[in-house]
Amino acid sequence: MAKKVVIVGGVAGGASAATRLRRLDETMEIVLFERGEYISFATCGLPYYVGGVIAKRRSLLVQTPAVMKKRYNLDIRTMNEVRRILPAEKQVEVCDLRDGRTYLESYDYLILSPGAEPAVPDIPGINLPNVFTVRNVSDGDRLKEYIETEEPVSAVVVGGGFIGLEMAEALRLKGVAVTVVEADRQLMGVLDPEMAAIVQKYLQEKGVGVVLRDRLTALEGISRVEKLILESGREIPAEMVVLAIGVKPEVRLAVEAGLAIGVTGGIQVDEYMRTSDPFIYAVGDAVQVKHFVTGQAVLIPLAGPANRQGRLVADNIAASPVKYKGTLGTAIVKIMDLTVAVTGANEKTLKRAGIEHLACYTHPDNHAAYYPGSRQMSIKLLFSPGEGKILGAQVVGYQGVDKCIDVLATAIRAKMNVYDLQDLELAYAPPFSSAKSPVNMLGYVASNILRKEVEAVRWEQVEQLLAGSNVLVDVRTAKELEKNGAVAGALNIPLDELRDRLAEIPEDREVLTYCQAGQRSYIANRILRQKGYKVKNISGGYRSYLAQRMISPRKIN
């Protein structure tokens, strides 16, 4: 007898499961319920639709119900909401939203793909008509219509994560003055603070207001929002508000059905994506998964993992068992001209997990510097002491960021170490990369630290080290100092003059060297070490100093 599978929710996870099931079994009965009008749409494209980059609304509709039904022979029921799961009877209770009719549907296996809903604070004024969330096509329609008809001059985006900053860009494209309000001490919580500072500086240079460490407490206005009230008492006038505080997993159905909920608040699943009921699977933004690097339980609401989970569940139902090995959290965002990407664990996560680690920074050009148009990127690599296992990476730049983060994500998944990065044979031609690619350079820098060819310190350590009578040496040229600035109290000896000016450096004091990005100071370290000096290299150079100064402006100043 053919199996019957019921799927709750479409978009990434549910739609992927449905189509994979059909490819595996032509006889299976597959019913997909979607409470909205659209079965598969590009949620990640909504900010670009609002901003006008994606001109046609239909471009967001990945698959229509009619096309999917015909191609895959699926029973697709849009505008049908599953209200209740009856596990003992292996049935779901469904409401047809068009006529209010309620009915029961049986299943052999049930796949939950309810997704996540925007976090909306319970504060005064939150339901005023010019307050928006960004979750589905209808949300995008509301936003786009309001901007085009009301022509707002100012907007506040509440939340400085991926969606918040994408929406800030979309609004700027429409000529709206934007302020981003973030309750945390930094933008983009997936980044470590010194990397997030680069993003903050860029936004402010582009005219986007940034308010940190302040929480929204109320929205004031008579018929629509006119100003925001923050916890500090600060008031910000605005003609529209976009809530991008984050998302929370939709678990009501699971909770009411008695399914286990994990410590993160997501649906608890095993390595096969099974819930606590062996006939019910769950995928996507609503599930708690294992982090690939730390092994800890996490919520990672991304389309890529949801698609893979949907496919995996289909295999587990209709083919041979497949284990889900965890999620890396690889993600990328475009913020005007800037690109920001992450993979693996950040330093905050590693510290919370008690995982020992080292960090290094590089600031390479995206392609050969002599070829026109090269732009610097900033990379932070996290790796384990000893074997140098790669734990995470963050990249901020203008070009080539996607290529760099994808290679590093692949390296983490393959359980490579920093020595392996040196050996990667990556495509090179002057318009695309350098003979030593940014990824190769990361391997060299990290392996130098592990081999103890250089002792690296970070800017947040420098203040304490200087208090112990260490001497700070800047090996950049005088022109660079004049153009870019310098650290107060540093002794300037350009690298090419270092051997002739050793007498200026006290032999009885530890030396801390830096340059603009880290390479020349490494060479200085090698020279000084072989001349008998005790020396440390400040990782990431002056570029990393500028980022650190934004976090701790009173330090090293």
Side-chain angles (χ1 to χ4, degrees), residues 105 222 412 428 449 463 492:
E105 192 74 34
I222 300 172
I412 297 174
Y428 161 63
I449 294 171
E463 182 183 36
N492 178 222

Side-chain angles (χ1 to χ4, degrees), residues 267-305:
I267 302 171
Q268 186 170 306
V269 293
D270 65 11
E271 57 192 352
Y272 299 99
M273 305 306 295
R274 272 186 312 230
T275 69
S276 53
D277 183 315
F279 299 101
I280 303 177
Y281 292 80
V283 300
D285 297 356
V287 303
Q288 172 181 292
V289 294
K290 180 180 73 174
H291 195 285
F292 186 82
V293 172
T294 68
Q296 295 190 327
V298 287
L299 291 171
I300 300 182
L302 294 171

Side-chain angles (χ1 to χ4, degrees), residues 507-547:
E507 294 183 11
D508 60 343
R509 295 167 65 184
E510 186 174 65
V511 181
L512 308 176
T513 65
Y514 73 93
C515 61
Q516 188 68 16
Q519 185 179 21
R520 283 171 293 170
S521 59
Y522 164 68
I523 297 170
N525 265 250
R526 298 303 302 157
I527 293 170
L528 291 170
R529 181 175 286 204
Q530 293 175 74
K531 295 292 184 180
Y533 287 87
K534 187 177 181 182
V535 59
K536 291 184 172 73
N537 189 43
I538 304 175
S539 187
Y542 190 73
R543 283 180 64 89
S544 291
Y545 164 75
L546 292 175

Side-chain angles (χ1 to χ4, degrees), residues 301-521:
L302 294 171
N307 272 291
R308 288 188 290 278
Q309 292 161 12
R311 179 185 173 93
L312 180 146
V313 165
D315 285 347
N316 287 332
I317 291 173
S320 55
V322 182
K323 293 181 180 180
Y324 188 68
K325 298 177 182 178
T327 302
L328 268 179
T330 305
I332 191 166
V333 63
K334 173 185 173 295
I335 309 167
M336 290 175 268
D337 296 327
L338 193 70
T339 305
V340 182
V342 297
T343 189
N346 60 28
E347 193 161 13
K348 294 173 289 187
T349 300
L350 293 172
K351 287 177 179 177
R352 284 196 299 268
I355 297 175
E356 192 177 359
H357 60 278
L358 298 170
C360 70
Y361 303 85
T362 61
H363 303 285
D365 286 293
N366 67 293
H367 61 61
Y370 61 82
Y371 187 87
S374 68
R375 302 288 299 272
Q376 273 194 322
M377 62 177 79
S378 297
I379 309 175
K380 179 177 183 177
L381 184 71
L382 295 157
F383 54 99
S384 67
E387 65 175 321
K389 182 180 176 183
I390 304 165
L391 304 173
Q394 301 159 43
V395 187
V396 180
Y398 298 90
Q399 299 168 14
V401 172
D402 54 340
K403 178 167 68 172
C404 184
I405 205 70
D406 283 344
V407 172
L408 293 169
T410 303
I412 297 174
R413 180 66 69 166
K415 299 184 178 180
M416 297 169 68
N417 60 35
V418 299
Y419 303 108
D420 295 320
L421 295 185
Q422 299 176 107
D423 297 331
L424 289 178
E425 189 173 333
L426 303 173
Y428 161 63
F432 303 105
S433 187
S434 301
K436 295 176 182 176
S437 80
V439 172
N440 293 143
M441 289 304 300
L442 273 177
Y444 293 132
V445 171
S447 63
N448 286 342
I449 294 171
L450 290 176
R451 292 191 181 109
K452 301 189 183 305
E453 292 182 13
V454 63
E455 186 176 351
V457 296
R458 293 156 66 173
W459 281 108
E460 59 262 39
Q461 301 171 272
V462 170
E463 182 183 36
Q464 184 177 354
L465 291 170
L466 291 178
S469 78
N470 296 49
V471 60
L472 189 62
V473 177
D474 185 335
V475 299
R476 296 175 297 162
T477 65
K479 285 186 178 180
E480 285 181 282
L481 269 67
E482 184 179 347
K483 177 183 177 182
N484 300 312
V487 180
L491 173 64
N492 178 222
I493 304 178
L495 175 63
D496 294 339
E497 302 174 18
L498 183 61
R499 292 181 179 88
D500 298 326
R501 296 174 59 180
L502 290 176
E504 298 177 37
I505 304 174
E507 294 183 11
D508 60 343
R509 295 167 65 184
E510 186 174 65
V511 181
L512 308 176
T513 65
Y514 73 93
C515 61
Q516 188 68 16
Q519 185 179 21
R520 283 171 293 170
S521 59

